[in-house]
Amino acid sequence: MLRYFSGRLLGAVATFFVLSYVIFQLMALMPGDPVDTMASSIPNITAADIARLKALYGLDKPGYVRFWNWFSGAITGDLGYSRTYQVPVTQIVAGPIFNTFLLSICSLSLALLIAIPLGVFSALKKNSSFDYIVNFFAFAGISVPSFWLGIVLIILFSVTFQWLPAGGTTSVELSGSEAGSAFFDRLKYLILPVTSLMFFQLGSFVRYTRNAMLEILNDDFIRTARAKGLDNSKVVFKHALRNALIPLITVVSISMGFLLSGAIITETVFAYNGLGRLVYDSIMGNDFNVAMVGLLLVVGMVLLMNMVADFMYAVVDPRVSYEKPR
Amino acid sequence: MKNLDRNPRTDLIKRFYKHRMASFGMGMVVLFLLLAVMAPAISWLYGVSPDQQNVFNRYASVWSSGATRNAFSREPDAAAVLHVLGTDELGRDVLMRLLYGTQISIGIGLAVGLISALFGILIGAVAGYWGGWVDSALMRLTDSMLSLPIIPVLIVLAALDFTKVEFLNRIITSENESVIKMVFILCLFSWMTVARLVRGKILSVKQMDYVAAARGLGASHSRILFLHILPNTVGPLLVAVSLIIGQAILIEAGLSYLGLGVQPPTPSWGNMLFNAQELIYEAPLLAFFPGVMIFLAVISFNFIGDGLQLALNPKADQ
C-alpha cells in the first residue's frame, strides 16, 4: 500500500511538472507579449530599446530556458510580480484560495446533505411519482448551464426581489464590527454562488446514490438481514446505505476537481473574489505570472484530490487492495 | 412462437422509445436539427436577418413590431416586422439569432461528438488490440488527461492566438476561426471516455472464440478489428457520444459566455449571453431565452444517452 502510494505521488509530481511546462509554453502563444504591451504605451521607444528590454528579462531565450528560469525561481518561493497589481504574486493568491475553498466546500456539503436522502428515498420508492420527479430534477441539474442558472438567480433574487447581493465577496462597509455580522455578511454573498455551483453535483450525487442503493438492495446480504427479521429502517440505513456510501467517496473527491474548475465560471458570474476569477482576469489582462500560478494551483488541487480519492477508498473499504497479487 | 422472429435491433429501439424521456430527447434533437437546417429559409420568409441592426428599436419587448429605418430619415424603409422574442441591445431580432445560434451550437456539439468518437475509437482500438507498451503508454495518457480540470485548461487554449501556430493557419479563415477553434479544443478533451470504453470492450471480446476462429481462418488484423470486434462497441459508444455532445454544447456555451468561444457577430447561444448579464435591468429576457435553448439541447442529449443505456441493459431497469 505504502509502495503503491509513493508511486502514485511520484506520478502526480511528474504530471504536475509536465503540465506546468505545457501551460508555460501555451502562455507564450497567448496574444500580447509583456514587453510589447509595455512598449506600446511609450511612444518614443526604439526597436533597439525593446530588444534590450527583452534581453534584460530573458524573453529572447528559447522556451525551455525561460521555463527553467521561471521554475527555479518558483521553487525558491519567487513567483514573480503581478503586472496589474504591481505586488508579488504570493500576496495576491492567498485570499482567493481561501474564498474558492469556502465556496467549493459549502457547495459540496450542501449538495451531499440534500442528495443522499433524495437518492435513498427515490430508490426505495422506485418508479413512484416521487422517483420520477427527483430523477427529472437530477437530469435538469446535470444539464443546466451553471452560469445561466447564476444569471437567472441574480435576476430573481437581486433584481426583482432585492433580497440578496448580485455579486461580490463581502460588503465594502460593514455596519457592525462584531464577528457575527461579518459572518452573516459573508453568508449573504455566498448563497447565490453556492446554489448555482451546487446543482450539477446535486444531480450527479442523486443519480449516483439512487443507482448504488438499487444495486445493493438486490444483494443477498440484504435479503438475509430482512429474513432475520430486522426492521426495514435498520436494513436500509445501516446495511444498505453504508455500503452504498463507500464508492460515493470516490465520486465526491473527483467532483471536488469539477467544483474547482466549475468555480471559474461561477465566480466570474458573481464577481466573487476567488481563484477562478483571478485566473480568468489575469488571462484576459495578460497578467502571465498570476495566471500561471493560479492555473497551477487549480491543477495541483485537482491532482491532489484524485490521490486522496484513491487513498480514502482503500482506507474505508478493506476489500480494496493496491498490492500486486502474488 | 412470437418470440422466435424477434429482431434484437427492433427490440432495442422499442425499449428505447418506451423510455418516455428518451423519446422526448430524440424529438427535441430532431426539432433542433430541423430548425438549424431551415434557419436561412425561415429568415428569408420572415424578412429579417440575424445580423440586421436597428438602433431605433433596441430592447423591443416580446411580440412587438418595429420597422427598419434609415438613420437620417423619418420614413421607415420597409414594412414593420414582428419581433416574436423582441430585439437585443443592437436591435437585432432575438428569435432569428437563436435560430442561427442553433446551427452553431448544435453543429459544434455534433462535430465534437463525431470527431472525438473517431479519435477515441482509434486510440482505444490500437491500445486494446495491440496491448503491451503501446497500451500502457496510451492509457497513461488517457488517464492523465481525464484527471485534468477541463475548464481552466480550455480557457488557456481558447485564449491562445491560433494564428501563431503554423499548420492551423491553413484551415482557418477569419470568418470561421472561432468556430473551428472551439471544435478543435473541445475535441482535444472529449475523446478519453470513448477510448477507454472501446479498449475495455476490445479486451473482453478479443478472447472470444469467434475471434480466434476468424484468426484461424486467416483474417487480417484490420478485418478482425473492424468486422468482428468494433461492431460490439456500437451500443455503449452511442451512449458515450450522446453524453459528449451534451457536454460539448455546455462547455462551448460557457466559454462563449466568458467571451472566449464563438466570436460575434456569429451568434451562438453562449455568446448571446455574453452581454446579457450587464443588461439584466433593461432586458432580463435577453438572458433568459438562450439559456433555455442550451438547457433543452443538453438535457435532450442526456436523456438520449440514458435511454440508450437502459435499452442496452434492460436488467438495470427492473
Side-chain angles (χ1 to χ4, degrees), chain B residues 125 129-130 202 220-231:
Chain B
Y129 195 74
W130 273 278
I202 285 178
S220 65
H221 282 307
S222 63
R223 189 180 163 85
I224 293 175
L225 196 58
F226 287 107
L227 222 64
H228 297 283
I229 296 183
L230 282 180

Side-chain angles (χ1 to χ4, degrees), chain A residues 11 15, chain B residues 134-146:
Chain A
T15 314
Chain B
V134 180
D135 181 31
S136 25
L138 285 178
M139 282 304 115
R140 191 58 62 81
L141 177 73
T142 309
D143 285 342
S144 50
M145 287 194 72
L146 267 177

